[in-house]
Amino acid sequence: MNIEKDKVVSIDYTLTNDHGEVLDSSSGREPLAYLHGNGGLIPGLEKELDGKVKGDKLVAIIAPDQAYGIRSEELIQDIPLENFQDTSEVKVGAQFQVQNEHEVRIATVTAVGEKNATVDLNHPLADETLHFDVEVMDIREASKEELEHGHVHGAGGHHH
Ligand code: ZN
């Protein structure tokens, strides 16, 4: 079976940045399971995995525009403190999730003033070229329910 849209794929991976620092890894955990072709992984990595079979190993080097994007000054915004539910949580370095119609972003507080907090909505890995060391551990058909939800259930996936 080859990796293609709507297959459930399990991978072991190690993610490093340009300096060789490990940012994330499945080592010591169960493999990461995702539903291929549904935006579960960054686009550049899904493209590299397309067509691969169980047991394949690959090194994928993904440019920022196919990973977590290019850092944008427009994503650094001043937000009135009155918009926060609990201003005691608003400290430099604090991170929280912001949901818009399409996606969940991580916002990082970069400054706190009298009336406003400055938050950076750029992904923490924006501008990073990512190096993935990947091994395809398993490929299976998705269940009907997984296809409806657009994500994987059970081992390595969502639990709900
Ligand atoms: Zn679900």
Side-chain angles (χ1 to χ4, degrees):
M1 186 184 289
N2 293 76
I3 295 177
E4 58 183 22
K5 185 166 166 44
D6 294 340
K7 298 286 193 246
V8 173
V9 181
S10 298
I11 56 170
D12 268 339
Y13 70 96
T14 298
L15 167 61
T16 51
N17 64 14
D18 262 341
H19 308 292
E21 294 161 342
V22 175
L23 302 174
D24 192 15
S25 172
S26 62
S27 173
R29 303 199 303 250
E30 56 190 343
L32 172 74
Y34 75 97
L35 188 61
H36 193 76
N38 287 266
L41 299 185
I42 55 170
L45 186 54
E46 290 209 3
K47 210 176 289 174
E48 293 284 338
L49 283 162
D50 225 29
K52 295 287 187 291
V53 298
K54 183 175 172 175
D56 276 353
K57 293 182 183 179
L58 59 140
V59 174
I61 299 171
I62 317 283
D65 66 332
Q66 289 292 305
Y68 292 104
I70 309 289
R71 182 163 276 283
S72 162
E73 292 300 316
E74 284 170 24
L75 290 174
I76 299 172
Q77 296 169 357
D78 285 333
I79 312 248
L81 286 175
E82 65 203 30
N83 289 16
F84 292 90
Q85 283 178 346
D86 180 0
T87 51
S88 71
E89 300 291 316
V90 183
K91 298 189 178 94
V92 173
Q95 291 188 321
F96 49 93
Q97 292 192 335
V98 181
Q99 172 99 50
N100 70 12
E101 59 270 37
H102 306 297
E103 55 186 352
V104 175
R105 281 186 173 274
I106 306 289
T108 306
V109 178
T110 58
V112 183
E114 296 265 309
K115 296 205 169 97
N116 295 301
T118 306
V119 300
D120 185 350
L121 290 161
N122 287 290
H123 191 282
L125 292 178
D127 273 356
E128 295 270 11
T129 296
L130 303 179
H131 301 245
F132 283 93
D133 215 317
V134 180
E135 181 172 0
V136 180
M137 305 304 288
D138 195 33
I139 307 167
R140 66 168 170 84
E141 300 291 346
S143 70
K144 190 163 166 283
E145 194 186 36
E146 286 172 324
L147 290 174
E148 281 166 6
H149 288 205
H151 57 231
V152 174
H153 293 165
H158 286 240
H159 298 268
H160 69 128

